[in-house]
Amino acid sequence: MKRFWKWLLGGFGALLVAAFIFLSWMAGSPKDAYGMVRYAFPHMHRGNLRVGDDAPDARILQLDGETRFHIRERTGARPLVLVFGSYT
Amino acid sequence: MGDIVKIYEDYKDRADFLTVYVREAHPTDEWQMKSNVKEDVCYAQPHTLGQRLAIANDFVKRFKYTVPFGVDDMSNAANDAYAAWPERIYIVDETGRIAYRGGMGPFGYHPEEARAWLASRFGPVTHSEAPTVPAKTGI
């Protein structure tokens, strides 16, 4: 029984190491693999929106930091191409 | 980013565009990319709206970004509603419904799919001039 647990733990450990090596290769380096797991995975989600769903509204600021508008104020007249992103 | 600007220039007379600036993808205090260091795009993750606005303003000024622009506030409401981070594209039709839902960036981020949607709706726009090299960082 003891031997079984030893093998199980060993196998699990080997699997973790293999997964980390694979992530390092995919991300570019072990540091990037850590960054992906620590910072990217918690913020990545596929979301629930589907084609045909009502577009959600949200309040947006202009670059002056004072003027506010809503995404849905920009919809209705023509198709609206929404691009999300950041500088980095 | 270069692709989006080109699509905007090609279709701005027929569709509306809005860029929404969301939380940083690769800030210095989280998962920083070598390409960002190389291109001097080094910012910590903003903790205040003022900090986020400052970076967004730097982005717009550096690239003379012409696409209509807005900034998600620190509640990240737009980001959460659209599962936007790190980058994503949607097209909302005139009835207010999602007509195109792009994949999650960077691997699922394909501006050419948005262009294809616009082309199928309004017809393709072709250019004869040589393509310019887009910046590697940012939207």
Side-chain angles (χ1 to χ4, degrees), chain A residues 32 43 45-47 49 51-53 55-56 60-61 63 65 72 76 78-88, chain B residues 12-13 15-16 18-22 24-26 31 36 62 70-71 82 87-88 90 92 96-98 101 138-139:
Chain A
D32 289 320
H43 294 288
H45 52 105
R46 294 177 54 81
L49 283 178
V51 169
D53 288 351
I60 303 294
L61 284 136
L63 279 169
R72 289 303 298 260
R78 309 192 296 180
L80 173 68
V81 180
L82 270 173
V83 183
F84 295 91
S86 72
Y87 196 172
T88 58
Chain B
K12 64 182 178 185
D13 294 333
D16 291 313
L18 176 62
T19 303
V20 180
Y21 197 88
V22 296
E24 295 301 321
H26 297 290
W31 179 19
N36 283 350
R62 179 168 173 181
V71 179
Y82 284 88
E87 53 191 351
R88 199 188 278 266
Y90 290 87
V92 180
R97 292 195 175 90
I98 305 289
R101 173 187 184 261
I139 305 160

Side-chain angles (χ1 to χ4, degrees), chain A residues 78-79 81, chain B residues 3-17 91 111-112 114-127:
Chain A
R78 309 192 296 180
V81 180
Chain B
D3 291 339
I4 288 296
V5 175
K6 279 184 198 161
I7 295 169
Y8 170 67
E9 292 299 331
D10 288 344
Y11 289 98
K12 64 182 178 185
D13 294 333
R14 283 166 277 189
D16 291 313
F17 287 74
I91 298 177
E112 68 274 14
R115 177 182 282 281
W117 189 95
L118 292 163
S120 71
R121 178 75 188 271
F122 301 113
V125 176
T126 50
H127 296 277

